[in-house]
Amino acid sequence: MKRLKQLSLIFIVVLNLVLISFLLKNHYNSNLKIGVVNVETLFNKFEMKEELDGEYMRITKQSQNALDSLTTHIQRMDLVEGKALNRSPKLNLMIVERDKIAEQLNTIKQEFESQIWNRLDLIIADFGEQNEHLVLIGNDDKSKVLYTKETIDITQDLIRYANKKYSGR
Amino acid sequence: MIEKTRKMVRKIPSIWILMAVVSFCCFGFVIVKIETPNSYMKKVIDSSSGYIQVHEFGEVKLKVRYQSPEELCIKQTMGRDSEFLDVSQLKKEFDQSMDFELEILLPSATNDLTKVAGSTMAYQELVNYLAFGIQEDLTLSIDEAIIKCDFVHFERNYGISPKVVLQFGFHKKETIQRGLNSGSDIRIRFDANRFNLGPIYFHFENDLITDKPFILY
């Protein structure tokens, strides 16, 4: 009888210890919610990027004819004028025009990228707040994250969330 | 047969109770479906009803609100004696198009367009854009179809309110009607490149658009 009492006491103590450590572990984990995101994948799979890429291709196509034509003329005139010290005004004008178009296209591309990142920044902040993340770490080739466990890779979740938010749902 | 049924019903009181419950439920269902203009307006301006979709970009907030034919009817008939108004005809007219309101809430530091624009020249350009140019940047998509905006009305507020409000809409073409009949949702796209925000989508459920409440005028 005494032996039985001792055994039940030991069992209850062990059970309580297990329960307490389980609760502490959960509490500890929930306070340290960290997520890792493959930034490049997120950026490339973001619907806004796909749309603006399409828009950029359309704008580029429109300017491409003018750009190609100018490049051809410049190359031809360069051959004709040879290695002259001073280029003709007409050639200089063409070069300026070509560079202007190239710069415009580059500006548009940068604007689009900036719009995408501005939108993503807001969405990521929303996501982090809603899911109570303490930290969200960007992981790609350029970052210094050396190792992450698969369970904290939330790239796909964030892609789904970002696309849902972008489409207005 | 009828006499047998009567005797049976008299004998079993639970049938009476069941009949009473069913009648009460039917009556309650009818009561819930009937709305007054005030109750309907409260519903449509409630941000959780789905009639309003919001996007926030830092301090700037963009809101698109769907204005149902019933809402437009109520606004038109408010304060007037409904006896002398053909409400059903009004509703038919408003049902020819899908109307929306776009509200751009500006940062608290600015309370008129001049501060957003930055200069008088840019201010005039912005006003022109809001009055005319913005129509090109508003489209409606349903299924695979993309429909251009048919009309825009910009309400200038001359700096007395920190927001820009404009009404815009789409005539209910066959494509839209077909899509709505098949249960498709709609999306309003605003190309906010003028504000350097890129494309912004506002999603509206089909149930909301096709809802036909009974309103007691």
Side-chain angles (χ1 to χ4, degrees):
Chain A
M1 193 68 184
K2 203 178 173 182
R3 184 96 176 130
L4 191 64
K5 271 188 184 173
Q6 277 177 347
L7 278 171
S8 357
L9 194 65
I10 292 166
F11 176 74
I12 288 167
V13 167
V14 166
L15 189 67
N16 279 334
L17 281 171
V18 165
L19 211 64
I20 289 165
S21 54
F22 177 74
L23 288 169
L24 277 173
K25 187 183 169 206
N26 267 355
H27 176 72
Y28 181 71
N29 280 347
S30 70
N31 278 347
L32 273 183
K33 205 169 176 184
I34 298 171
V36 172
V37 180
N38 187 318
V39 172
E40 206 178 320
T41 310
L42 172 66
F43 183 77
N44 290 330
K45 294 251 169 100
F46 187 35
E47 275 177 21
M48 186 175 175
K49 198 248 176 194
E50 287 171 18
E51 276 188 29
L52 291 183
D53 270 351
E55 181 68 19
Y56 180 71
M57 291 298 291
R58 193 187 61 79
I59 295 169
T60 311
K61 256 188 192 169
Q62 284 173 354
S63 313
Q64 201 59 43
N65 285 342
L67 208 56
D68 287 344
S69 167
L70 279 168
T71 309
T72 312
H73 277 115
I74 289 165
Q75 282 169 351
R76 205 179 293 155
M77 285 186 80
D78 246 347
L79 277 171
V80 163
E81 288 182 18
K83 306 277 180 199
L85 279 170
N86 296 317
R87 283 188 167 134
S88 65
K90 192 177 177 184
L91 179 59
N92 280 333
L93 206 67
M94 279 195 207
I95 291 171
V96 165
E97 191 61 35
R98 181 198 63 183
D99 291 345
K100 195 173 154 190
I101 294 174
E103 200 183 314
Q104 275 173 355
L105 288 175
N106 198 34
T107 307
I108 290 170
K109 191 173 183 189
Q110 282 177 352
E111 265 175 22
F112 281 171
E113 277 186 11
S114 147
Q115 283 173 6
I116 294 166
W117 278 115
N118 287 343
R119 192 72 68 90
L120 268 177
D121 283 342
L122 292 168
I123 289 173
I124 291 167
D126 257 345
F127 180 86
E129 236 180 83
Q130 275 197 18
N131 293 282
E132 295 177 349
H133 279 98
L134 197 63
V135 175
L136 284 174
I137 300 171
N139 184 20
D140 55 27
D141 291 335
K142 299 166 198 155
S143 73
K144 292 179 184 169
V145 176
L146 298 174
Y147 167 75
T148 61
K149 220 171 176 174
E150 261 180 38
T151 48
I152 63 167
D153 186 333
I154 53 158
T155 311
Q156 295 307 320
D157 289 339
L158 188 48
I159 289 170
R160 273 191 290 270
Y161 181 85
N163 287 333
K164 195 175 164 191
K165 268 274 185 176
Y166 174 66
S167 67
R169 289 183 185 266
Chain B
M1 173 83 177
I2 298 168
E3 206 41 56
K4 266 188 182 172
T5 316
R6 270 200 207 137
K7 278 183 183 168
M8 195 178 71
V9 167
R10 265 189 228 134
K11 278 181 185 171
I12 308 170
S14 55
I15 291 180
W16 282 111
I17 295 167
L18 188 66
M19 278 166 61
V21 167
V22 168
S23 313
F24 182 74
C25 287
C26 289
F27 184 65
F29 177 76
V30 167
I31 291 286
V32 160
K33 276 286 176 188
I34 296 175
E35 304 218 37
T36 61
N38 279 339
S39 69
Y40 185 72
M41 286 306 291
K42 269 189 194 155
K43 185 171 96 174
V44 299
I45 60 172
D46 181 2
S47 54
S48 62
S49 64
Y51 285 87
I52 301 176
Q53 300 294 324
V54 183
H55 277 281
E56 291 191 39
F57 302 94
E59 287 183 312
V60 179
K61 218 189 254 192
L62 280 96
K63 247 197 247 189
V64 168
R65 190 163 73 84
Y66 171 62
Q67 295 178 309
S68 62
E70 286 77 16
E71 182 191 331
L72 297 171
C73 230
I74 289 169
K75 283 181 175 170
Q76 193 86 349
T77 58
M78 220 181 269
R80 296 198 205 170
D81 196 340
S82 60
E83 226 180 283
F84 302 104
L85 292 164
D86 190 354
V87 177
S88 59
Q89 185 57 34
L90 256 180
K91 241 193 268 186
K92 254 189 206 167
E93 282 172 25
F94 285 130
D95 209 18
Q96 304 291 318
S97 62
M98 292 183 66
D99 298 78
F100 297 86
E101 183 181 84
L102 168 65
E103 208 175 275
I104 305 172
L105 287 134
L106 301 164
S108 54
T110 69
N111 63 6
D112 71 15
L113 287 177
T114 47
K115 286 180 183 153
V116 172
S119 73
T120 315
M121 279 294 283
Y123 166 71
Q124 195 48 54
E125 191 200 316
L126 188 59
V127 167
N128 287 342
Y129 168 72
L130 290 169
F132 308 105
I134 199 169
Q135 192 169 337
E136 297 294 316
D137 292 337
L138 290 163
T139 51
L140 180 150
S141 53
I142 186 164
D143 295 332
E144 304 297 324
I146 295 171
I147 290 113
K148 288 188 178 175
C149 180
D150 288 306
F151 53 88
V152 164
H153 172 68
F154 168 48
E155 303 171 7
R156 286 184 73 168
N157 60 32
Y158 301 97
I160 58 168
S161 171
K163 58 186 178 181
V164 167
V165 178
L166 57 96
Q167 319 293 326
F168 67 97
F170 307 83
H171 295 307
K172 256 192 194 162
K173 301 175 180 77
E174 205 188 301
T175 328
I176 297 179
Q177 199 57 61
R178 213 183 312 129
L180 289 174
N181 291 343
S182 68
S184 304
D185 297 340
I186 64 153
R187 279 200 315 180
I188 300 294
R189 174 177 160 144
F190 174 36
D191 283 306
N193 294 314
R194 182 65 177 76
F195 305 98
N196 203 31
L197 293 171
I200 305 170
Y201 287 100
F202 301 87
H203 188 102
F204 294 91
E205 306 276 341
N206 179 279
D207 289 345
L208 208 97
I209 309 288
T210 55
D211 183 30
K212 297 269 179 255
F214 184 82
I215 298 176
L216 263 178
Y217 285 91

